[in-house]
Amino acid sequence: TSLSTSTLITMSSHHWLLAWLGLELNTLSILPMIIKPHHPRATEAATKYFLIQATAAALILFSSTLNAWQTGHWSITNISTPTASVTITIAIMLKLGLAPIHAWYPEVLQGATMNTALILSTWQKLAPLTLLYLMKNSLPNNLILTIGALSILVGGWTGLNQTQVRKIMAMSSIAHMGWLVIALSMSLNIATMTLMVYILLTTTMFTLFNSTTTKTLTDLGVAWPQSPVLFATMLITLLSLGGLPPLTGFAPKWLILTSLCHTKLLMLGAVIAIASLPSLFFYIRMTYLTALTIPPKTTNTQHKWRHKMPHPWALSPAMVMAGLLLPLTPLMAT
């Protein structure tokens, strides 16, 4: 049922009440999926997620009512009240888990299973981002750019201290959302391409971690012998997630920095380029732990004691796209 949210928001004729209803439906639909393992951590994660999303939805309802009271319409695309515009933007940032209101996000991802964490990191971003797309002309740009730059800084620096893979991916998601909202304030085409690349890379990484049952950084070191080819491509995907040049992940950062230069926001461009270095560091640390800490050789035992790894059919094309889509940048950005 959580699949109906974006559809409801799109079909709502740009009416705030139906958009709010879609967000609430989305939140209530994902809660059973988070709580399904019947573990105290899952219960805690579901409770935190519910409280945060309900708070954000209440703020959106309050702000849209305030806007309707002062202007006489419920249109999403035309918010003429500055107070309502700022409050709704902050509420959507809370839903997306952007800094400085991001602390709930790593905790919820850590309490959920790998598959649920994947849904929280990808599909659950679509509904709030749809609202941001519709509000494009009413957004407070200075606030958006500040929150985006802060998210890139926080996502990079906080991720340095983590050993849990899901928390690292949560910090990565916060940093990528920072890039995305900065793109959103300049060009919808670049923002859409950034979102597509983010979803592709995040889905690939979570699927890889799920296939190899990787929960912590130390799990990465012993998993090479299970499937050397799989892990070689995992290294490339990690580097692509960090935004290294010949790979797919470089394309959105390249275009965003170019747009910032064109709009004379050179200082912001320099800050977010430098702020993405800590993120790159912990991706490279993950590749180091995977490939270089344990010799990449098979075991000497006569018996095959490892479990057979599942290989989802979509994993191979996803890994190829995660590394090789950079030449298609002009096509994706238009």
Side-chain angles (χ1 to χ4, degrees):
T1 45
S2 69
L3 302 183
S4 58
T5 313
S6 297
T7 315
L8 204 70
I9 288 178
T10 311
M11 292 172 61
S12 63
S13 301
H14 302 169
H15 196 289
W16 270 117
L17 275 180
L18 283 174
W20 170 81
L21 179 65
L23 291 171
E24 286 294 302
L25 177 63
N26 180 255
T27 301
L28 294 175
S29 302
I30 195 74
L31 288 175
M33 297 173 70
I34 301 174
I35 211 167
K36 186 174 177 287
H38 300 295
H39 190 276
R41 283 197 175 189
T43 310
E44 184 185 340
T47 308
K48 285 177 179 173
Y49 188 78
F50 171 72
L51 290 173
I52 292 294
Q53 299 295 318
T55 305
L59 274 174
I60 288 172
L61 186 61
F62 164 72
S63 308
S64 54
T65 308
L66 180 67
N67 184 64
W69 175 46
Q70 294 194 348
T71 61
H73 63 77
W74 290 87
S75 171
I76 297 176
T77 50
N78 184 20
I79 299 179
S80 47
T81 315
T83 309
S85 176
V86 170
T87 314
I88 287 176
T89 304
I90 291 171
I92 292 174
M93 297 305 165
L94 179 60
K95 274 189 167 292
L96 288 171
L98 281 148
I101 35 184
H102 66 283
W104 64 272
Y105 189 59
E107 300 299 323
V108 169
L109 248 62
Q110 183 60 30
T113 61
M114 238 0 138
N115 286 330
T116 311
L118 168 60
I119 295 170
L120 290 172
S121 300
T122 53
W123 182 262
Q124 293 299 99
K125 307 284 189 192
L126 295 184
L129 284 171
T130 305
L131 292 178
L132 281 183
Y133 270 63
L134 291 172
M135 289 171 59
K136 168 93 169 53
N137 298 323
S138 313
L139 290 175
N141 274 333
N142 289 340
L143 178 66
I144 291 279
L145 293 174
T146 307
I147 287 178
L150 191 61
S151 298
I152 296 168
L153 275 164
V154 168
W157 282 106
T158 322
L160 292 174
N161 200 28
Q162 304 297 336
T163 56
Q164 298 286 333
V165 162
R166 273 168 292 188
K167 283 196 174 182
I168 288 176
M169 292 304 292
M171 294 305 168
S172 159
S173 177
I174 291 168
H176 278 91
M177 283 294 122
W179 283 93
L180 181 56
V181 294
I182 287 175
L184 195 65
S185 67
M186 294 182 299
S187 164
L188 289 183
N189 287 342
I190 295 176
T192 307
M193 195 205 77
T194 308
L195 178 63
M196 285 165 52
V197 170
Y198 162 75
I199 288 176
L200 170 67
L201 296 177
T202 307
T203 305
T204 308
M205 283 314 305
F206 271 111
T207 311
L208 281 165
F209 291 143
N210 202 27
S211 297
T212 55
T213 59
T214 301
K215 300 286 192 303
T216 63
L217 289 181
T218 49
D219 293 341
L220 287 168
V222 296
W224 179 284
Q226 295 182 34
S227 177
V229 176
L230 188 72
F231 274 84
T233 46
M234 182 197 277
L235 307 189
I236 295 169
T237 309
L238 275 169
L239 295 177
S240 183
L241 206 54
L244 283 186
L247 304 170
T248 307
F250 176 62
K253 294 186 176 180
W254 180 20
L255 291 173
I256 291 167
L257 290 174
T258 307
S259 295
L260 286 172
C261 291
H262 287 327
T263 49
K264 301 292 187 290
L265 292 168
L266 297 176
M267 182 59 76
L268 178 64
V271 166
I272 64 174
I274 293 167
S276 64
L277 290 176
S279 297
L280 184 59
F281 174 79
F282 64 69
Y283 294 131
I284 291 177
R285 184 176 61 184
M286 288 172 79
T287 62
Y288 174 80
L289 288 169
T290 306
L292 299 176
T293 50
I294 302 288
K297 61 185 180 59
T298 53
T299 56
N300 295 323
T301 55
Q302 298 296 318
H303 302 288
K304 190 169 180 60
W305 53 271
R306 289 190 181 88
H307 296 296
K308 182 173 172 56
M309 281 195 306
H311 289 287
W313 63 269
L315 188 55
S316 299
M319 286 191 296
V320 170
M321 288 191 288
L324 300 177
L325 283 187
L326 186 63
L328 297 181
T329 303
L331 186 66
M332 290 190 293
T334 53

